[in-house]
Amino acid sequence: MRVAVLGAGVIGLSSALCIHEQFHSLVPSLELEIYADSFTPHTTSDGAAGLWQPYLSDRGSLQETLWNKETFDYLLGHLNSPAAKEMGLFLISGYNLFTEPVPDPPWKYIVLGFRNLTPKELELFPGYSYGWFNTALLLEGRNYLPWLTNRLTQRGVKFFHKKVESFQEVSEDGVDVVINCTGIRSGELQPDPELQPGRGQIIKVLAPWVKHFIITHDMRSGIYNSPYVIPGSEFTVLGGIYQHGNWSQENSAQDHRTIWDSCCRLLPALQKAKIVGEWSGLRPARPQVRLERESIRHGNLQGEVIHNYGHGGFGITIHWGCAMAAARLFGSILQEKRKASPAQPRL
Amino acid sequence: MAAPKVAVVGAGVIGLSTALCIVETCPSCSVTVLSEQFSPNTTGDVAAGMLIPHTYPGTPVHVQKQWFKETFTYLFAISNSAEASEAGIHLVSGWQVFKSPPKEKLPFWSDVVLGFRPMSEAELQKFPQHQFGQAFTTLKCDCPPYLLWLEKRLKATGVQMYTRKVADLWELHSEYDIVVNCAGIGAHQLVGDKKLFPVRGQILQVHAPWVKNFIRDGDGLTYIYPGIHRVTLGGTREKESWSLSPDPGTTKDIFDRCCSLEPSLQEAQDIKVKVGLRPSRHCVRLQREVLSQGGVKLLVVHNYGHGAGGFSVHRGTAKEAAHLVGECIAALQGSSSRAKL
């Protein structure tokens, strides 16, 4: 049973690991392969700061909130394990700031110690009159992706540096199931007008005195279009850009100024921070995550595809819940194949 | 009289902050700092500089609270300014955890720090050996940066600083009108204060930049305090021990205790070991004294004995010491005008 995972960002690698962990002993003939044209540190996931935090509202999808919770609980369970540092996983506390009162988010009971900010805390942030404090997790892509890669390599999963042009190409090669984790470029394999880039730009600085994340919100300009500061283990990420429909991955001087000026207004001490890098990436935005099966016929061949893309700016936040859901879909495919060929003692 | 000449003995956090307060309240004073040690060799340089007060049995709680509040407010403003990183002042959040619930659920300082509240069940799960905890956000003064920043501010106002071991306060009587004794643990010898005793603390400073929250055991012995570049792991409280040499057995013990609170510290790198002697006393000695020899007087203000709580109350006690210096000046001016009659 050959399974090809397309895409080696956080979604592809975690889906591969989850499927291999659950099924390799049940399906001895399982051969898992990963195909991607970008690997860490060049994926979208590598540019993300890695803060676990969903959007403010679940856009009507309780399912996504459950996947977020599964991810948080899974990561929390790894916090005290020896692997945590190598995974790039640690606890971090911080602030969400608003200019007006807002409803509590669907994730308030998922994170630790969620509460409203006190008036004295708000004095730290002139211009903001309301906010939250909570402890969440940070999972740095630049550490997590290599960690996932190592786990997969140890399990004998093969990696191929290749741009797959179509599902057909993979089916014709003898692959039984495709896990489509191609993120922002999923549309090249199968047109999807609902998938759009949510362009982001970030500045990386050295500001080791910053120990909290600070996410501001402007309810009119939308998510991530307001300054944010997220300290990592080596450098701090400054951001606040979300441009829907913009495919450019070039750093923009104007966006740089927007980020720098607004973050320095938020945290005056940042003026002394040394800039060590800049990056733009395309969040694979979609009204909801596409996580579903599809049977694709090519002539005589029928290929099973599990789509797992469209995680916008919350890929790291939701990844494990989605990987588990993808694994469940894989399980149902296996079940159907067994029923279809009962004469075969094993797949 | 001519501009009063004030000598501040001691250039640790108490001496420097007291000198700064004197300059602020008495711009006409000529202030000189004399010290055997300067940063990075003061007791405060070893301390993590966390604003979590120590309780002095001999000082009324409302006074301690006032000192802490003044210190917190002062540093809060700096942490919020462009100077924060140079001054080494930053906010840090975390948890104080207890193996058995403490008698006092609300310490006197709980409404001075930010967001103080009991930990939730979910938060306590990270600490399986602990049953109760408090979460809050407070400030940390990283040293040497904070002391160097104080020195810089003092120099900018014209304060002179000299390396000099003062063996006896009286030796300063001909050069200075008022002496402010901020000698910390040195006061044991300098003024023969037998009520002052060292409480030895050994700490580790490690590279573990993924540790963003502080964790402190309510017993005060085990703590993890993330600073700007290094994380301080502690510690010990050894009464009456004068040894400044690191003890390897203690190092391992501190490391093990901290790893049991935060397992990821097993991966910490570049471990440096330091020792400091907390200048401990039943209460902070914050009072005036008049030394007299052969008809000659020397006005002294004492400000020492802050023990484990120096950083937490330094600005509050510095302001009070500056106020006492003001009283000394008034006394000098009073007696000099009487002398003229």
Side-chain angles (χ1 to χ4, degrees), chain A residues 28-46:
Chain A
S29 70
L30 182 67
E31 274 176 39
L32 201 52
E33 298 155 9
I34 297 179
Y35 294 83
D37 59 12
S38 297
F39 289 90
T40 182
H42 305 295
T43 72
T44 308
S45 311
D46 289 285

Side-chain angles (χ1 to χ4, degrees), chain A residues 29-299:
Chain A
S29 70
L30 182 67
E31 274 176 39
L32 201 52
E33 298 155 9
I34 297 179
Y35 294 83
D37 59 12
S38 297
F39 289 90
T40 182
H42 305 295
T43 72
T44 308
S45 311
D46 289 285
L51 177 67
W52 187 99
Q53 184 166 300
Y55 290 179
L56 301 184
S57 104
D58 60 14
R59 312 175 302 169
S61 171
L62 180 62
Q63 180 66 268
E64 287 185 7
T65 299
L66 288 173
W67 287 335
N68 289 331
K69 179 175 173 12
E70 278 184 277
T71 307
F72 192 88
D73 292 343
Y74 168 76
L75 293 173
L76 201 61
H78 278 78
L79 245 197
N80 283 351
S81 80
K85 190 221 171 196
E86 204 196 326
M87 284 167 83
L89 175 67
F90 52 90
L91 281 174
I92 184 167
S93 303
Y95 306 91
N96 276 279
L97 304 173
F98 306 88
T99 53
E100 58 193 324
V102 294
D104 290 343
W107 40 270
K108 75 182 265 208
Y109 293 118
I110 302 176
V111 294
L112 302 175
F114 182 95
R115 62 172 174 82
N116 285 346
L117 292 181
T118 63
K120 201 149 143 223
E121 288 174 306
L122 285 165
E123 281 176 37
L124 286 164
F125 309 110
Y128 296 95
S129 57
Y130 188 83
W132 309 323
F133 181 93
N134 64 264
T135 301
L137 293 163
L138 208 122
L139 183 62
E140 295 180 302
R142 51 203 295 273
N143 289 311
Y144 189 49
L145 265 54
W147 183 84
L148 287 169
T149 305
N150 287 342
R151 301 284 77 69
L152 288 162
T153 306
Q154 274 172 4
R155 287 170 163 272
V157 172
K158 303 253 180 314
F159 288 79
F160 298 94
H161 194 134
K162 181 180 176 180
K163 184 174 160 130
V164 166
E165 304 287 355
S166 68
F167 295 126
Q168 185 169 353
E169 173 193 330
V170 175
S171 284
E172 278 172 2
D173 193 45
V175 166
D176 300 290
V177 182
V178 173
I179 323 287
N180 176 22
C181 306
T182 48
I184 188 57
R185 282 174 293 133
S186 300
E188 291 176 30
L189 286 173
Q190 188 186 88
D192 182 351
E194 291 193 292
L195 178 70
Q196 291 288 320
R199 182 184 173 279
Q201 183 165 323
I202 53 123
I203 305 174
K204 297 192 251 198
V205 302
L206 292 178
W209 61 89
V210 177
K211 304 292 181 191
H212 298 92
F213 64 81
I214 304 168
I215 321 273
T216 68
H217 301 269
D218 179 342
M219 305 312 272
R220 283 153 312 148
S221 55
I223 192 84
Y224 301 134
N225 253 333
S226 192
Y228 60 80
V229 177
I230 301 174
S233 63
E234 281 178 54
F235 49 78
T236 298
V237 172
L238 310 184
I241 300 290
Y242 188 107
Q243 293 153 350
H244 199 79
N246 185 349
W247 283 94
S248 168
Q249 285 186 273
E250 305 264 314
N251 292 324
S252 137
Q254 185 178 341
D255 289 341
H256 173 99
R257 271 192 305 277
T258 302
I259 297 166
W260 185 256
D261 293 347
S262 61
C263 286
C264 285
R265 251 197 313 277
L266 185 61
L267 274 190
L270 283 174
Q271 291 164 53
K272 305 273 170 74
K274 182 174 172 208
I275 295 177
V276 293
E278 193 134 8
W279 179 84
S280 318
L282 307 177
R283 301 175 184 88
R286 207 173 179 274
Q288 48 192 46
V289 173
R290 186 176 184 200
L291 184 36
E292 63 188 5
R293 279 176 61 180
E294 188 180 3
S295 298
I296 299 191
R297 288 211 103 82
H298 317 288

Side-chain angles (χ1 to χ4, degrees), chain B residues 39-84:
Chain B
S39 179
N41 297 317
T42 73
T43 305
D45 285 290
V46 179
M50 288 291 287
L51 256 67
I52 299 177
H54 168 79
T55 303
Y56 303 104
T59 305
V61 172
H62 77 272
V63 172
Q64 298 184 51
K65 186 168 179 176
Q66 182 58 22
W67 288 342
F68 181 57
K69 201 164 172 192
E70 272 178 12
T71 307
F72 196 92
T73 303
Y74 173 70
L75 296 174
F76 186 75
I78 300 171
S79 78
N80 212 14
S81 76
E83 296 198 62

Side-chain angles (χ1 to χ4, degrees), chain B residues 188-209:
Chain B
H188 182 89
Q189 204 173 33
L190 181 59
V191 296
D193 184 347
K194 300 294 174 244
K195 293 195 215 153
L196 180 72
F197 58 95
V199 174
R200 181 184 182 280
Q202 183 163 321
I203 54 113
L204 314 183
Q205 287 179 343
V206 308
H207 180 75

